[in-house]
Amino acid sequence: MGIKETLPNNGNHSTGSEPATHVVTLVEAVNLALARAMEQDENVVVLGEDVGTNGGVFRATAGLKERFGCKRVMDTPLAEALIAGISVGMAAQGLKPVAEIQFMGFAYATFEHIISHAARLRNRTRGRLHCPMVLRTPYGGGIHAPEHHCESTEALFAHIPGLRVVVPSSPTRAYGLLLAAIEDPDPVIFLEPSRIYRMVKQEIRDDGIALPLDTCFTLKAGTDITLISWGACVHETLQAARELDKQGISAEVIDVATLNPIDYATILASVEKTGRCVIIQEAVSHCSVGSEIAAMLAEKGLFFLKAPVGRVNGLDIPMPYFQRENLYMPDVHEIIATAIKTMEYA
Amino acid sequence: MQFTTTPYTEHQLIEPGGNATGTLPGWMQDQDLLLKFYRTMNLIRVFDKRAIALQRTGQMGTYASCLGQEAIGTAIGCALKTEDVFVPYYRDQAAQFLRGVPLYQLLQYWGGTEWGNHFTGTAREDFPNCVPIATQITHAAGIATAFKIRGQKRAALVTCGDGATSRGDFYEPLNLAGVWQLPMVLVVNNNQWAISVPRALQTGAPTIAQKAMAAGIEGFQVDGNDVCALYEAIRYSLDKAHAGKGATLIEAMSYRLCDHTTADDATRYRSHEEVNAAWLKEPVKRLQTFLHQRGLWDEQKEQQLITDCQQKVEQAVKDFQSQPQQPVDDLFDYLFDTTPPHLIVQRERTKQKAARLAGGNHHGH
Ligand SMILES: Cc1ncc(C[n+]2csc(CCOP(=O)(O)OP(=O)(O)O)c2C)c(N)n1
Ligand SMILES: [Mg+2]
């Protein structure tokens, strides 16, 4: 399989009923999906800081206000708790708010609304009310950004019952998964790896078709070892897999994509086949999504594992200011070294 | 029934043309202080321009310019007493400099090392820059509470932007400052924009100053381009705090003449006309005209000052660039008082990684 990377050319706009095709980056794919969702469902509204006139600090919402008006694309006052809280209220009223938090490091003020309300409104009311909202935020390091702009704290969200946590790792998956997140009747935290916002372009048919949530994507088939990752690290993982191939080690690469709930069936089937596994994540290791996958493998995969589960993580420290950021970021070398060590067990 | 609202008028001593608006207060006889205002604002303006150039040429990270807002930091820095604590946001270069933070250290912060926050001297209890908007105001209320508990004659002075006033972290400590009569001064740099969002979209109230009323504290608007008016307002508020008479909210009316940061392009959301009009009110020229009129300044002094500022800034750039690379240990050894064992393991592993990366050996074995 592998990611289909196409040559850049200009997107041609839709004529008649045939959906237009665009060659876009990940952040442009987010923009396409938002526009498509707003077109298809008038209940979809976008809100956040600088999302209207400015089109978002990363341009994810560019052009939406011009197209859909300021009642559906709202520049809010600078208040994250407010953004999350009004999204809960709007969602309970049948709107489908897609709220942007400018960076994941500023999402912490939303926790009370997200954890205590969005995630459990359906459960608390035994289904009478529910909360079809999406909270989008760019996340992750490696972009030379100031402090608090480089967080990978997806585990904080993945820990919460009642939340879906979704991470795209390519333009195609950003488009399809964001449409799915917006269609979903429950709250979804949609984490966009800013490091790969503009890394590759892919051809996308703007057909409004969602990809499945709660499903891993197998990006490369292999027989010797399973490499599991999500978000920006998928790219280093694929690179490592290609290097390992050259060394005669056939690596299967899985993009987890939905971090809660996790598609354990796909992961287990792969590890049953290969018997070896390395989990790669940018987050700190302690109490992380990687820890959870490793725990599941210890519970359910012990008898077909031929080696301990390997892990490549960020460090258990806050992301260093950018001069030393690269020491924190997992790299291809570490993935290869860990994979080889895992292969060395008889 | 008829409700009334308190009108807020902008406190001003020198109007944009450089003329006194009325009888000037006695402290303005202090020529040295007036010249200190002027020199500091100029130095920071030269510094700011150089910092942007460093970012543009890849020698520094994202930088938040304070162009047009130099008067606020200058007035704060001059008004604070050594024993007070300053809690900045991120456009307070002038105040931090006056608190004794060397210019090269300001560059270190934006240049991507935590050592840029390691203040000594007068600033040793000051907080570092605060990026999560408005959160610093709550910390300042805590600092002021500590002063109050200990019966110390000290004040916490905290800054934020106009956008910050929309957050709970603005309202909650302001409210507390009223309830507990805290020795706190909150200076809002109302530069009219929060990235692309204009002030009118942050609050439906005509002023930010009037939010003080709901908190039960004193609040007023000051011309944020008039360093003398700012100084007077801040001194008044600090004196009040030192005397145990409670907190003050100051809304400093300024304008962000620059982009939000070097990562922003303000032409996307505001007009040249608006920016050009704001240039007519900027603080440096205003004070210069005033000083000229009083015979305190001339062309020769101006030339000397420009040369002097440039030298100081170039020296700061040199000092910034000649700082040694932060050792790997520093990433681990400041997280806790005592570094726990698992971090010691990671620290040693990271040293090997640093050596590998320094060797330029990217993959391979
Ligand atoms: C809690 C939080 N939300 C969002 C951001 C991103 N952000 C950085 S500066 C800024 C605008 C701040 O505007 P204002 O308070 O007016 O200060 P100014 O930058 O204009 O001086 C925003 C939204 C942030 N740093 N922290
Ligand atoms: Mg502002």
Side-chain angles (χ1 to χ4, degrees), chain A residues 50 78 147 316 324 329, chain B residues 109 167 196 326 346 353:
Chain A
D50 305 286
L78 200 172
E147 54 178 341
D316 284 336
R324 287 305 215 171
M329 301 291 288
Chain B
Y109 173 78
R167 287 189 108 228
S196 72
Q326 176 170 219
Q346 292 188 22
K353 180 170 179 174

Side-chain angles (χ1 to χ4, degrees), chain A residues 48-57 59 75-82 102 105-106 108-110 144-149 239 243 247 285-286 313-334 336-337 340, chain B residues 58 60-62 108-115 117 128-133 163-169 194-197 201-203 263-265 268-269 320 324-328 331-332 335 342-343 346 349-350 353-354 356-357 361-365:
Chain A
E49 294 158 11
D50 305 286
V51 298
T53 310
N54 196 34
V57 294
R59 322 288 309 128
D75 272 324
T76 64
L78 200 172
E80 286 74 13
L82 174 96
Q102 211 160 76
F106 310 131
Y108 307 138
T110 70
H144 229 65
E147 54 178 341
H148 310 291
H149 291 70
Q239 237 178 297
E243 293 284 331
Q247 299 180 32
S285 65
H286 192 79
N313 309 294
L315 299 164
D316 284 336
I317 60 173
M319 177 65 88
Y321 288 13
F322 67 78
Q323 275 187 21
R324 287 305 215 171
E325 182 180 47
N326 62 348
L327 294 180
Y328 176 98
M329 301 291 288
D331 63 23
V332 175
H333 176 98
E334 289 166 303
I336 293 172
I340 287 174
Chain B
M60 206 179 68
T62 304
Q108 276 187 304
Y109 173 78
W110 299 105
T113 159
E114 291 82 350
W115 285 106
N117 296 327
N129 282 358
C130 186
V131 171
I133 301 289
T165 66
S166 294
R167 287 189 108 228
D169 277 308
I195 309 186
S196 72
V197 181
L201 294 186
Q202 296 293 346
T203 174
D264 176 49
D265 173 11
R268 273 210 292 261
Y269 51 79
F320 162 61
Q325 170 86 288
Q326 176 170 219
V328 172
L331 306 191
F332 296 89
L335 207 53
H342 76 285
L343 286 186
Q346 292 188 22
R349 190 154 41 82
T350 306
K353 180 170 179 174
R356 166 168 62 83
L357 292 179
N361 173 14
H362 289 302
H363 339 142
H365 307 278

Side-chain angles (χ1 to χ4, degrees), chain A residues 223-246:
Chain A
T223 51
D224 297 334
I225 187 166
T226 304
L227 306 180
I228 299 174
S229 192
W230 56 92
C233 280
V234 163
H235 291 264
E236 285 73 41
T237 303
L238 282 168
Q239 237 178 297
R242 286 192 286 268
E243 293 284 331
L244 288 166
D245 267 347
K246 286 184 205 153

